[in-house]
Amino acid sequence: GIQVEQSPPDLILQEGANSTLRCNFSDSVNNLQWFHQNPWGQLINLFYIPSGTKQNGRLSATTVATERYSSLYISSSQTTDSGVYFCAAVSGNTPLVFGKGTRLSVIA
Amino acid sequence: DTAVSQTPKYLVTQMGNDKSIKCEQNLGHDTMYWYKQDSKKFLKIMFSYNNKELIINETVPNRFSPKSPDKAHLNLHINSLELGDSAVYFCASSRFSYNSPLHFGNGTRLTVT
């Protein structure tokens, strides 16, 4: 099945800094999603982005399917951005496969 | 509120017991899932139902049995609980099968002592 790898595994930022999280996948995908798990454990869907670029406030995501990667850009980070960011992909007719996540800590 | 809701939020029980987790979604979605998140935060699918029919059953011990009385509900029953079953269990739903956004419930933290 498809392999999904995320980097970096851990990231510490000063409030106000920008960051890019990376997601590489081993096969062609027809579905790519980004999720944020907040410190209370809730999993929030950030983007459904099988290709192209989308923006939502300070967050934007880009998927380049031909190069088998997706990236999540966080600008002007805030402490509320802390948590774990997951990338998940579907290849063919299989359910979403999750990466191991990037743990982000934003310090005031 | 439109959402995926699961109960209970916390479940503490002893080895050998049987327990159930309930899940309901009022989003009108056709597909529902159970995911397990282990202590290292890794998320792995357990089951997937489309319109009350089982479409995915990953390598999960048969002590775990999902039941979908209708397309808005997917419950998880676990028999003879073991220490290794301790984890957070997430219910989720999507409008269609795998190629639509996934929406999670808030999770049930199961602790087996």
Side-chain angles (χ1 to χ4, degrees):
Chain A
I2 190 171
Q3 306 294 317
V4 178
E5 292 189 5
Q6 293 186 240
S7 60
D10 295 280
L11 186 58
I12 300 174
L13 294 177
Q14 201 73 35
E15 199 170 27
N18 304 327
S19 64
T20 300
L21 281 54
R22 179 92 170 192
C23 172
N24 293 323
F25 36 91
S26 61
D27 207 344
S28 59
V29 297
N30 42 352
N31 177 352
L32 192 291
Q33 301 186 40
W34 284 94
F35 298 85
H36 175 222
Q37 187 165 35
N38 64 26
W40 296 272
Q42 295 173 312
L43 277 159
I44 308 298
N45 192 309
L46 298 175
F47 293 101
Y48 173 84
I49 185 163
S51 64
T53 297
K54 289 186 178 178
Q55 179 148 10
N56 184 0
R58 295 179 296 102
L59 272 59
S60 66
T62 296
T63 297
V64 184
T66 52
E67 296 184 23
R68 298 189 181 172
Y69 80 89
S70 183
S71 57
L72 178 70
Y73 180 72
I74 304 173
S75 66
S76 304
S77 57
Q78 301 176 357
T79 55
T80 51
D81 296 330
S82 296
V84 183
Y85 289 81
F86 291 99
C87 162
V90 169
S91 180
N93 192 28
T94 59
L96 272 173
V97 172
F98 281 76
K100 293 184 177 179
T102 292
R103 184 181 299 274
L104 174 64
S105 300
V106 181
I107 301 168
Chain B
D1 281 1
T2 54
V4 180
S5 57
Q6 54 182 111
T7 55
K9 187 171 173 63
Y10 300 98
L11 193 48
V12 181
T13 188
Q14 291 185 326
M15 282 173 52
N17 285 348
D18 303 338
K19 290 293 178 187
S20 292
I21 307 172
K22 294 186 176 182
C23 179
E24 175 182 4
Q25 55 92 7
N26 61 3
L27 297 164
H29 290 171
D30 284 342
T31 307
M32 295 186 73
Y33 312 80
W34 279 108
Y35 277 85
K36 179 180 180 179
Q37 186 172 45
D38 63 22
S39 58
K40 295 185 178 177
K41 299 281 194 182
F42 186 59
L43 276 157
K44 188 167 163 50
I45 190 162
M46 301 172 69
F47 301 103
S48 169
Y49 269 73
N50 190 333
N51 239 333
K52 302 194 302 175
E53 289 192 18
L54 179 67
I55 53 174
I56 283 275
N57 181 355
E58 292 293 308
T59 349
V60 175
N62 58 14
R63 298 182 294 104
F64 290 79
S65 53
K67 284 189 174 45
S68 182
D70 55 62
K71 77 172 193 176
H73 295 84
L74 180 62
N75 303 323
L76 183 65
H77 188 76
I78 316 170
N79 289 329
S80 303
L81 278 154
E82 300 178 357
L83 292 176
D85 298 331
S86 296
V88 181
Y89 293 84
F90 284 96
C91 177
S93 71
S94 62
R95 184 168 182 186
F96 306 116
S97 193
Y98 310 130
N99 291 312
S100 52
L102 192 65
H103 297 266
F104 282 96
N106 286 338
T108 296
R109 182 175 293 277
L110 171 65
T111 303
V112 183
T113 61

